Amino acid sequence: MYFKKYIIFVKIKNFMMKRVVILLVYLSSVMYTFGEVKHLTKKDFLEKVYNYEKNPTEWKFLANRPCVIDFYATWCGPCKAMAPLLEDMSKIYAGKVDFYKINVDAERELSAVFGIRSIPTILFCPVGAQPQMSQGAMPKETLLQAINEVLLNK
């Protein structure tokens, strides 16, 4: 009798553990994608931000939320210094502002479209207005001010 109760208990426990594991995996994937800097390819950029192939002369922002786009290179020292700051900003503004990165070496066409000559270059894309660009690394306070004023109109 004890043996049967133990088997039933183990089956229930295993069933519940599978549910808990599935839930934890789901939650960790949601937490990972919420408030992160996402890498963009040309295809992603054309779908999520601006399709310059269809509208070469007029800026038409495609997203519902403003975004910050970091044009960077893996070998760039100031770009490496900006990376943790942008990660922090993506968590602070999660759900309000999207944060993207574009590797200028891998996405040369995107760099050429925006005339990127020095890195890091940050592109601020507000909803319903023209984008604004900033070149060079910037301190946290300046980045916060730019996001609040340019993207969130605060």
Side-chain angles (χ1 to χ4, degrees):
M1 190 70 152
Y2 173 77
F3 187 68
K4 286 182 182 178
K5 287 180 183 176
Y6 178 75
I7 291 174
I8 292 170
F9 174 74
V10 168
K11 285 182 181 178
I12 291 172
K13 183 178 176 186
N14 287 341
F15 176 77
M16 294 304 290
M17 287 300 289
K18 287 178 187 175
R19 299 284 182 206
V20 168
V21 168
I22 290 170
L23 179 64
L24 289 175
V25 168
Y26 172 75
L27 288 175
S28 65
S29 67
V30 169
M31 295 285 285
Y32 179 72
T33 58
F34 192 70
E36 72 173 336
V37 180
K38 300 169 189 99
H39 290 268
L40 286 181
T41 62
K42 175 188 172 188
K43 179 182 180 284
D44 296 331
F45 186 86
L46 293 173
E47 292 171 359
K48 294 179 179 181
V49 182
Y50 164 55
N51 191 330
Y52 56 85
E53 294 177 338
K54 287 185 180 176
N55 301 302
T57 58
E58 183 183 2
W59 173 263
K60 290 194 177 183
F61 188 57
L62 302 174
N64 295 327
R65 275 194 299 244
C67 71
V68 174
I69 301 172
D70 174 26
F71 288 88
Y72 79 103
T74 56
W75 48 264
C76 168
C79 299
K80 290 178 184 179
M82 285 290 295
L85 179 58
L86 290 169
E87 288 289 338
D88 289 345
M89 294 294 113
S90 71
K91 288 172 181 52
I92 292 170
Y93 291 102
K96 296 177 187 170
V97 177
D98 292 325
F99 287 80
Y100 300 114
K101 292 178 84 72
I102 296 175
N103 185 329
V104 296
D105 293 327
E107 301 296 337
R108 292 185 186 272
E109 183 178 329
L110 285 172
S111 301
V113 166
F114 288 96
I116 305 300
R117 301 258 184 255
S118 67
I119 48 174
T121 294
I122 309 295
L123 183 66
F124 297 94
C125 304
V127 175
Q130 292 297 309
Q132 295 184 30
M133 199 175 283
S134 172
Q135 294 181 340
M138 61 180 75
K140 183 177 183 176
E141 295 76 27
T142 306
L143 186 57
L144 282 167
Q145 181 180 3
I147 292 170
N148 287 329
E149 290 178 5
V150 175
L151 301 181
L152 301 176
N153 299 319
K154 289 184 178 179

